[in-house]
């Protein structure tokens, strides 16, 4: 990109926020109150420059001893003493004791410049840190000379082409005590460490950056065992990835409720229900299904520890232990009040960036409602959802509902979700039974049935709906109704069998009667035929007799 040359700091997230790092060959002021991380930021900038970007540096300290600084950053894995031994970093400790100094007449910093130049030349430095500039002028009161020398110091750093980081303490009504450094610096970074409701938060803001575009919002940053890291979470927009692939929930009956089987990859899926309705169990099923498919899964719990979750899930046939041992599942647990909302956000997004999972589960997001203002909670969760969507990562979020079947969440996120599973606890016949309703599945034709949700040692099953005379039945009421229906069916079948046997008997009796009548008819027919034959024979005999008689009469007449 056209513009000023930049020097990357190696601070995770910060270089992306500033589109490349700090202005190269120019001074940058890092200011803030005590304990906000100024020295650590400057140390990280110097160490990463020497180690990763082949830019040696000089650390000028006016307060702490060099060995103290080396020990302080050693806990973060920074082997600063090795860089010093290799000649890639040099320390210049300038100890000023105001009690041993007397201000008389005009003075300048020519002696300081000579010491700095010698230190820079000793390692061929490209970077320099001055920590802190107030200590240099703490013994002097002549403001005119003081301001002139500050400006001269900054000009000298520019002439040497040094990328400089100067730390400064916050002043009263100004960014620094002198109120001038912020104007002569090309880049000003403000670090803030605040406490609200007994929870501390560190935030970073780029006050100005000459010659470069940059983020202007406040960004939470972390100081932990991995050092200094910043995530520019406010820059997340609606650049979401869309996929036609499907992910399995680990519950075949649930996947079958959606045409094509399962939710779209990269979806945000919400599970809501009252306590004990099975939200965490379904979350664990999603995670186990992802691990079985060889994908990475990140589980962040705000109520139970990882080992406790693993133990509990075994009782319903879900064993997450092998998933953790294989490295496919990472489980994190922290109370919502352990960090501020911004810090939780930074931790979650940093873990996602580092672990690169295909599915992330937060269980439950409703735990944050007591940790901050509802609007701040909604903003934090919105950033998480957008971040996951923009990276094509499936998000599964559980939410504790205080009202049965409530079609909204206290965090106000239901409209942002692609899938919504509503879990219900029904009281009937003196017992509670679980039900599941697929309230929403964007872009997927899905069942509108309320299914009974059963958990046992064999896993999770969704039973087909059973409708009785007064609506859907679950639990023992369903079993009793099914038993009654089986008895009625058995009685009906017995009655049908008896009727069939009666019909067979009647059929056989009727057939016997028909056979008897048939025999009588045959006998009558035979008798009738005999009568007809006798009649025929009789008529023949009579005819013969008449013929014989007639012939006899003719013979008698001739005689």
């Amino acid at each position: 990109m056209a513009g000023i040359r930049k020097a990357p700091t190696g601070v995770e997230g910060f270089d992306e926020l500033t589109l490349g790092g700090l202005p190269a060959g120019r001074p940058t002021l890092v200011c803030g109150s005590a304990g906000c991380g100024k020295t650590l930021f400057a140390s990280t900038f110097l160490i990463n420059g020497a180690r990763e970007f082949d830019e040696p540096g000089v650390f000028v300290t006016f307060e702490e001893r060099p060995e103290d600084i080396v020990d302080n950053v050693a806990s973060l894995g920074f082997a600063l003493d090795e860089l010093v031994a290799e000649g890639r970093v040099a320390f210049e400790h300038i100890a000023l004791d105001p009690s041993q100094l007397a201000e008389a007449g005009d003075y300048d910093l020519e002696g300081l410049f000579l010491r700095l130049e010698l230190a820079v030349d000793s390692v061929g430095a490209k970077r320099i840190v001055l920590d802190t500039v107030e200590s240099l002028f703490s013994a002097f009161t002549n403001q005119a000379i003081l301001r002139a020398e500050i400006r001269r110091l900054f000009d000298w750093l520019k002439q040497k082409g040094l990328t400089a980081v100067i730390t400064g303490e916050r002043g009263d009504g100004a960014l620094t005590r002198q109120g001038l450094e912020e104007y002569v610096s090309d880049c000003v970074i403000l670090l803030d460490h605040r406490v609200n409701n007994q929870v501390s938060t560190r935030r970073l803001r780029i006050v100005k950056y000459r010659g470069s575009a940059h983020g202007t919002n406040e960004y939470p940053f972390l100081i932990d065992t991995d050092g200094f890291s910043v995530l520019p979470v406010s820059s997340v927009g609606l650049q979401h990835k869309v996929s036609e692939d499907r992910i399995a929930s680990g519950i075949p009956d649930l996947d079958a409720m959606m045409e094509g089987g399962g939710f779209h990859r990269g979806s945000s899926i919400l599970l809501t229900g009252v306590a004990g309705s099975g939200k965490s169990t379904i979350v664990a099923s999603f995670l186990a299904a992802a691990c079985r498919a060889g994908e990475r899964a990140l589980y962040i719990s705000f109520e139970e520890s990882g080992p406790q979750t693993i133990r509990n899930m075994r009782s319903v046939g879900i064993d997450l232990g092998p998933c953790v041992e294989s490295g496919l599942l990472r489980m994190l647990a922290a109370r919502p009040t352990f960090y501020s909302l911004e810090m939780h956000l930074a931790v979650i997004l940093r873990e996602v960036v580092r672990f690169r999972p295909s599915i992330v589960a937060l269980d439950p997001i409703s735990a944050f409602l007591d940790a901050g203002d509802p609007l701040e909670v909604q903003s934090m969760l919105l950033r998480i959802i957008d971040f996951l969507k923009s990276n094509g990562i499936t998000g599964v979020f559980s939410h504790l509902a205080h009202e049965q079947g409530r079609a909204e969440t206290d965090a106000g996120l239901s409209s942002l979700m692609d899938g919504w599973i509503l879990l219900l606890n029904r009281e009937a016949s003196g017992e509670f039974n679980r039900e599941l309703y697929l309230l929403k599945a964007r872009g997927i034709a899905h069942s509108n049935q309320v299914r009974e949700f059963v958990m046992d040692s064999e896993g999770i099953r969704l039973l087909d709906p059973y409708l009785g005379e007064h609506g859907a039945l679950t639990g023992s009421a369903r079993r009793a109704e099914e038993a009654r229906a089986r008895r009625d069916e058995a009685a009906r079948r017995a009655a049908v069998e008896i009727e069939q046997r009666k019909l067979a008997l009647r059929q056989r009796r009727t057939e016997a009667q028909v056979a008897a009548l048939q025999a009588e008819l045959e006998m009558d027919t035979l008798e009738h035929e005999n009568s007809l034959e006798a009649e025929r024979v009789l008529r023949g005999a009579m005819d013969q007799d008449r013929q014989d008689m007639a012939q006899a009469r003719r013979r008698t007449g001739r005689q």
Side-chain angles (χ1 to χ4, degrees):
M1 294 178 61
I4 65 172
R5 189 168 57 91
K6 297 187 178 182
T9 64
V11 174
E12 185 178 352
F14 181 82
D15 292 340
E16 290 81 1
L17 187 64
T18 54
L19 305 179
L22 300 178
R26 301 187 184 190
T28 295
L29 175 65
V30 179
C31 54
S33 58
C36 63
K38 301 184 298 297
T39 301
L40 179 59
F41 180 89
S43 303
T44 305
F45 158 78
L46 198 68
I47 294 169
N48 288 337
R51 181 173 293 158
E52 299 179 15
F53 308 112
D54 195 25
E55 293 188 358
V58 174
F59 198 113
V60 182
T61 173
F62 299 102
E63 292 181 342
E64 295 186 86
R65 299 179 303 167
E67 52 268 29
D68 293 336
I69 296 175
V70 170
D71 292 340
N72 291 342
V73 299
S75 62
L76 304 176
F78 296 156
L80 185 53
D81 53 343
E82 295 180 2
L83 296 176
V84 174
E86 295 170 1
R88 290 191 285 172
V89 172
F91 274 100
E92 186 65 29
H93 184 204
I94 302 175
L96 297 176
D97 188 352
S99 64
Q100 297 179 3
L101 298 177
E103 186 176 9
D106 295 338
Y107 55 88
D108 57 34
L109 299 178
E110 196 62 38
L112 173 65
F113 296 157
L114 292 175
R115 293 186 62 174
L116 294 183
E117 187 169 13
L118 181 61
V120 168
D121 293 340
S122 68
V123 295
K126 301 295 183 182
R127 303 186 178 198
I128 189 170
V129 170
L130 278 70
D131 184 40
T132 64
V133 72
E134 278 79 20
S135 300
L136 178 61
F137 304 109
S138 61
F140 307 108
T141 59
N142 191 323
Q143 294 294 318
I145 296 177
L146 192 59
R147 288 175 174 267
E149 290 304 303
I150 290 177
R151 186 180 296 276
R152 185 167 171 238
L153 172 62
F154 280 59
D155 289 340
W156 183 86
L157 294 172
K158 281 188 176 183
Q159 291 173 4
K160 290 294 182 180
L162 295 170
T163 304
V165 171
I166 299 100
T167 65
E169 298 287 342
R170 284 292 297 270
D172 186 10
L175 293 179
T176 59
R177 293 179 183 176
Q178 307 303 328
L180 178 66
E181 303 95 315
E182 56 202 81
Y183 296 103
V184 296
S185 300
D186 289 83
C187 179
V188 178
I189 300 171
L190 177 62
L191 303 182
D192 182 36
H193 187 194
R194 66 189 69 169
V195 178
N196 185 24
N197 292 330
Q198 301 180 354
V199 178
S200 66
T201 305
R202 288 186 171 93
R203 299 183 184 181
L204 175 148
R205 181 167 65 93
I206 302 174
V207 179
K208 77 171 183 179
Y209 198 136
R210 288 175 181 162
S212 174
H214 60 278
T216 58
N217 295 334
E218 282 191 328
Y219 303 96
F221 67 90
L222 299 179
I223 296 177
D224 56 11
T225 55
D226 295 323
F228 197 106
S229 59
V230 183
L231 283 174
V233 293
S234 294
S235 62
V236 174
L238 290 174
Q239 305 301 320
H240 298 161
K241 293 183 179 180
V242 177
S243 174
E244 295 295 336
D245 294 340
R246 300 296 184 92
I247 63 164
S249 65
I251 307 173
D253 296 329
L254 175 58
D255 294 337
M257 292 180 68
M258 291 168 279
E259 184 177 323
F263 293 94
H264 285 130
R265 185 176 298 278
S267 298
S268 296
I269 304 167
L270 179 65
L271 303 169
T272 60
V274 297
S277 58
K279 301 181 297 298
S280 297
T281 305
I282 296 181
V283 169
S285 181
F286 271 96
L287 299 174
C291 294
R292 284 195 297 269
E295 301 178 0
R296 293 185 178 185
L298 177 62
Y299 176 63
I300 303 174
S301 172
F302 305 108
E303 292 183 344
E304 294 182 340
S305 66
Q308 184 178 1
T309 300
I310 293 174
R311 181 203 65 187
N312 294 344
M313 291 303 112
R314 287 198 187 103
S315 64
V316 290
I318 301 175
D319 192 357
L320 298 177
C323 301
V324 175
E325 294 171 0
S326 65
L328 293 176
L329 175 62
R330 177 175 294 180
M331 307 184 76
L332 303 177
R335 289 293 184 187
T337 54
F338 187 72
Y339 298 127
S340 64
L341 292 176
E342 294 84 358
M343 197 63 64
H344 272 293
L345 175 63
V347 170
I348 292 171
L349 299 193
R350 186 190 66 180
E351 290 296 330
V352 171
V353 170
R354 292 183 177 179
F355 190 55
R356 301 189 305 277
S358 64
I359 182 171
V360 174
L362 272 64
D363 180 33
I365 58 175
S366 52
F368 286 106
L369 294 175
D370 295 330
D373 182 79
L375 292 178
E376 293 180 356
V377 173
Q378 183 177 8
S379 176
M380 182 202 76
L381 295 175
L382 174 60
R383 290 177 176 180
I384 294 175
I385 294 170
D386 278 342
F387 182 83
L388 296 179
K389 280 180 170 290
S390 64
N391 288 277
I393 300 172
T394 304
V396 180
F397 309 89
S398 70
H399 186 284
L400 175 63
H402 298 288
E403 296 181 16
Q404 176 79 299
R406 184 179 179 184
E408 62 178 337
T409 62
D410 296 327
L413 297 175
S414 54
S415 62
L416 303 176
M417 295 295 172
D418 301 302
W420 189 357
I421 299 173
L422 184 61
L423 301 174
L424 307 172
N425 276 0
R426 297 289 189 188
E427 190 280 329
S429 302
E431 64 181 15
F432 276 103
N433 296 292
R434 299 179 178 88
E435 296 178 356
L436 181 147
Y437 175 41
L438 187 55
L439 194 62
K440 177 168 65 172
R442 283 177 177 162
I444 304 173
H446 58 278
S447 171
N448 63 350
Q449 294 178 335
V450 178
R451 309 285 291 273
E452 185 175 357
F453 174 30
V454 178
M455 296 184 294
D456 54 29
S457 59
E458 300 297 325
I460 301 174
R461 292 174 291 118
L462 301 181
L463 305 183
D464 291 332
Y466 188 90
L467 297 178
E469 295 180 359
H470 303 288
L473 300 177
T474 60
S476 60
R478 172 177 182 157
R479 290 189 292 272
E481 181 65 18
E482 289 176 338
R484 186 191 65 79
R486 286 193 297 270
R487 290 193 301 270
D488 292 345
E489 178 67 15
R492 185 188 65 81
R493 289 182 178 179
V496 170
E497 184 178 355
I498 291 174
E499 290 298 326
Q500 289 178 341
R501 292 175 63 185
K502 288 181 177 180
L503 177 61
L505 292 175
R506 285 196 295 268
Q507 183 175 359
R508 288 197 297 271
R509 185 178 62 185
T510 302
E511 291 174 351
Q513 291 175 349
V514 169
L517 292 175
Q518 185 68 30
E520 292 179 2
L521 178 60
E522 292 177 355
M523 185 178 296
D524 292 342
T525 301
L526 181 60
E527 291 178 353
H528 178 66
E529 290 178 350
N530 291 335
S531 298
L532 291 177
E533 181 64 21
E535 180 69 18
R536 184 183 65 78
V537 172
L538 180 61
R539 287 183 177 276
M542 291 176 64
D543 290 341
Q544 185 64 40
D545 290 343
R546 282 195 296 272
Q547 291 177 2
D548 293 342
M549 187 177 290
Q551 290 178 359
R553 287 176 180 171
R554 284 197 295 270
R555 286 195 300 267
T556 303
R558 290 192 198 101
Q559 292 176 1

